[in-house]
Structure formats: C-alpha cells, structure tokens
Amino acid sequence: MASFKALQACETANGDFETRVVARDTSELPAGDVLIRVRYSSLNYKDALSASGNRGVTRSYPHTPGIDAAGTVVESSVADFSEGDEVIVTGYDLGMNTAGGFGQFIRVPASWIIKRPAGLSLREAMAFGTAGLTAALCVDKLEQAGLEPVAAPILVTGATGGVGSIAVALLSRLGYNVHAVTGKVDQADFLTRLGAKQIVERSALQAGSEKPLLKEQWAGAIDTVGGDILFNVVKSLQRGASVSCCGLTAGTGFQGNVLPFILRGVNLLGVDSVEIPLVVKASMWDKLSVQWKLPNLDDLVQEISLEELPAAIARMLAGKQAGRLLVRLD
Ligand code: NDP
C-alpha cells in the first residue's frame, strides 16, 4: 500500500462538478495485473469531458480522469511485465470508469499495456499521447486508402487542438501540403511553425452546408471536429479522395447526401484509437518512434503539473487551448 497524489473530479451538492488534487492509496485502485507508477500523462478533450461530469464518458464520481499514462511497472502478476519496465497505456477504459493517468499510480489489465518503444522516452510518448496515436491512425487510414504526398492540399480541421496539431506536424513531416483550419487565427504562426502551408479560417468551412456539392479542393483530409464542417469537407474532397473522421468538438451529428460518394467516389473513414487491438496501437507507436518521429514535438507541447490541470481543463472546454498539454506526475 502506498499513498499518492491524484486529481479527483467530484459532484458538488448543487450538481456541479469540481476537480482538486487529493491523497489516495493504491489499495483503493481497481484489481488488475499490473501496478504502474505514472510519470507523465496528457490532457485530451475526453479528459476534459470526464472531469466536468459528462456521464457519456464517466458514469460515477468521485473519479480520477486521464486516458493516457506512461510510467514504470511497480508490481506485476503476469510474466509479460516485470518491475522496472517502462510502459505506455492509452484508451480502453483508462480514465473513463477506471482510475486514470491523472494519478501517480494506476492498476490495469496487462492487455492494455505496451512496452515503451526504444525510440521514444516516456515524456515523448505522452507528448504524443492519445492525440498523437489518433493522428497517426488518421494518416495511416488515408495512406491505406491510397494517399501519397502530392502537390494538392490536405486539410486538417481543429488544427490547433491536440489531434489537429500533431496531424499538421506529422503530415508536413511526411511531405504533404497541409492546409490548417482553425478558429484561432492568432495561432497562425504556431501552425506555420508546425509546417502548415496555408491557414484557413474556420468560418470558411462553415459556409455552404445547404449546397449538395462544393468545389473539389482537398486531396485528403483529417477531420477532428465533425458537425457541418465534416459535411462541407466531404463535399469538397477531390474525386476519389478520403477524409479520416475522428472527432466531435463541433457536434456529433452531421448532415449528409450521397452525391459526393456516388458522383466523386469519395471515402469517409472512421477512426477509433480507444478500443482497437493492442497490436494495432503498438504498430502506430513503433511508427511514431522511428519513421514518423517528430523533430519539432517540443514545439507543440507545454508541460504542466497536476495542480495546473483544473485551469487547463477549463481552457480546453472553452476551446482556447492550442497544442498539447503534457502532465507531469512528480
Ligand atoms: P482539443 O480540444 O485539443 O482540440 C479540438 C479543437 O477543435 C480545438 O482546439 C479547436 O481548434 C476546434 N474546435 C473547438 N470547438 C470547435 C467548434 N465548436 N467548432 C469547430 N471546431 C472547434 O481536442 P483533441 O484534439 O483532444 O480531440 C479532438 C476531437 O477528437 C475530440 O472530439 C475528441 O473527443 C476526439 N478524439 C477522438 C479519438 C478517437 O479515437 N476517435 C481519440 C482522440 C480524440 P481550432 O481553434 O484550431 O479550430
């Protein structure tokens, strides 16, 4: 048994939710194969939803969010992991209904754990986190659908967000001509530093949802926001092009008509980074650690402590966060 620090989200008497750093004990963690001392986590949009009482993400409170964790094995009841192994856990139920990476310890099933690839430190792994894994899966799906570096532009929506910023950096690193859609025009320099060749104001992607088709523009796209923006992206893909769809910050619903699909043969590719087989996650981590490693990863990451998380969560929910937040579990 060991006492440790964790961020806890609690429901107040008037039905609001608040987060604070509390002392917990490893004996309170759920049963599981492996106890991990978490060194780094990261803040993702889903964590902000969990921390603010979204029952679609987390059913019962008090709860410690954190869908990402990287750290060192302290105890293991399975042969695959030994004390001292450096490991990464993302997704599955971590931080949803299982106490997550915003605590200094987690206990999880072995089937959720990946050994840290040699080419990434624990800190770098969490600089990517679920956002990086998701961006990598989006790029991978586009390439499996036939995309390769071409002169025509590839669009990334929600570009200053966690998934969006890594998608911009990754596609640029791979030689694509990236156009970045953002609601934060004051972050144009940030996106240009990540490699974006052109900044597109979000309002430009919000217009035209009443039209059945729009001018063919994008050779491919990664959409992290959903809603009318996704609908407009589908309608402005070039013939045979694809969009990877992974997010919902602009809304879960989106309109549709069959014309882009049957007249232009475009593809809408769904991306899930949470429940996919561990072997698929491992193959993406391997890519991110070698051929897709980002030389400018530090440019899109800001490191914060557990105590700084509540303010960061509020910023993220207000749509004001730009880039990734790495959480240090001192
Ligand atoms: P962030 O909050 O970091 O980024 C979201 C970005 O979306 C914002 O930075 C902003 O970028 C843009 N945005 C915010 N509000 C709106 C709005 N109302 N309309 C249009 N754009 C908006 O979130 P993450 O990057 O962590 O996640 C992005 C999405 O992807 C979330 O919906 C998340 O749940 C989902 N996700 C899905 C995964 C999966 O497995 N499918 C895994 C990880 C995330 P800007 O100001 O630049 O436009």
Side-chain angles (χ1 to χ4, degrees):
M1 290 197 310
S3 173
F4 68 94
K5 262 192 334 183
L7 188 85
Q8 197 165 57
C10 307
E11 188 165 8
T12 64
N14 62 7
D16 291 339
F17 283 81
E18 63 180 25
T19 49
R20 56 174 186 264
V21 177
V22 299
R24 298 200 64 196
D25 194 279
T26 50
S27 60
E28 297 161 18
L29 291 173
D33 305 317
V34 182
L35 181 68
I36 298 167
R37 171 63 168 93
V38 180
R39 294 293 167 192
Y40 292 99
S41 180
S42 81
L43 180 62
N44 295 278
Y45 190 70
K46 198 191 246 179
D47 301 317
L49 294 178
S50 170
S52 55
N54 185 307
R55 305 267 180 193
V57 178
T58 298
R59 283 189 301 274
S60 67
Y61 294 85
H63 169 67
T64 295
I67 63 172
D68 287 342
T72 310
V73 172
V74 176
E75 283 170 21
S76 170
S77 61
V78 293
D80 286 348
F81 296 100
S82 313
E83 190 183 338
D85 284 350
E86 293 197 329
V87 294
I88 301 169
V89 185
T90 66
Y92 302 117
D93 195 47
L94 187 70
M96 294 180 68
N97 293 293
T98 300
F102 296 166
Q104 290 172 316
F105 283 87
I106 55 170
R107 192 183 285 114
V108 294
S111 59
W112 295 3
I113 307 173
I114 286 172
K115 285 199 180 147
R116 175 181 68 75
L120 281 182
S121 65
L122 292 177
R123 187 177 185 281
E124 287 171 325
M126 287 296 99
F128 280 120
T130 286
L133 178 64
T134 307
L137 286 161
C138 286
V139 172
D140 189 61
K141 279 226 167 169
L142 290 176
E143 292 198 334
Q144 281 186 36
L147 185 69
E148 47 189 41
V150 281
I154 310 296
L155 195 71
V156 176
T157 66
T160 68
V163 179
S165 57
I166 296 184
V168 168
L170 185 53
L171 286 166
S172 303
R173 150 109 173 68
L174 298 178
Y176 290 96
N177 170 10
V178 180
H179 288 201
V181 180
T182 184
K184 305 184 192 83
V185 279
D186 58 327
Q187 294 292 334
D189 284 352
F190 167 66
L191 292 168
T192 306
R193 272 202 315 280
L194 297 185
K197 295 286 183 298
Q198 203 158 309
I199 311 301
V200 182
E201 278 196 43
R202 188 191 292 164
S203 54
L205 264 288
Q206 285 166 325
S209 56
E210 72 291 351
K211 297 189 180 156
L213 283 169
L214 294 168
K215 184 178 155 214
E216 289 182 49
Q217 289 191 71
W218 321 114
I222 293 180
D223 176 61
T224 73
V225 305
D228 274 351
I229 291 180
L230 173 59
F231 185 37
N232 284 339
V233 170
V234 168
K235 290 186 298 182
S236 50
L237 288 172
Q238 293 181 355
R239 181 166 300 278
S242 306
V243 52
S244 288
C245 152
C246 71
L248 47 70
T249 47
T252 51
F254 73 104
Q255 306 174 59
N257 77 62
V258 299
L259 295 182
F261 302 101
I262 66 174
L263 297 182
R264 293 180 179 165
V266 305
N267 305 301
L268 177 55
L269 310 173
V271 172
D272 165 38
S273 68
V274 180
E275 291 291 341
I276 51 174
L278 195 68
V279 63
V280 179
K281 292 187 186 182
S283 73
M284 290 300 119
W285 284 112
D286 283 345
K287 281 192 166 186
L288 289 170
S289 70
V290 187
Q291 69 268 45
W292 287 5
K293 189 159 182 179
L294 293 180
N296 54 352
L297 190 57
D298 259 345
D299 290 350
L300 54 81
V301 177
Q302 191 193 332
E303 189 172 312
I304 60 170
S305 65
L306 217 45
E307 286 74 15
E308 291 170 293
L309 255 175
I313 289 167
R315 249 190 346 267
M316 178 167 269
L317 287 171
K320 295 198 170 124
Q321 174 57 34
R324 295 273 299 141
L325 285 176
L326 180 72
V327 183
R328 193 178 57 241
L329 282 291
D330 289 327

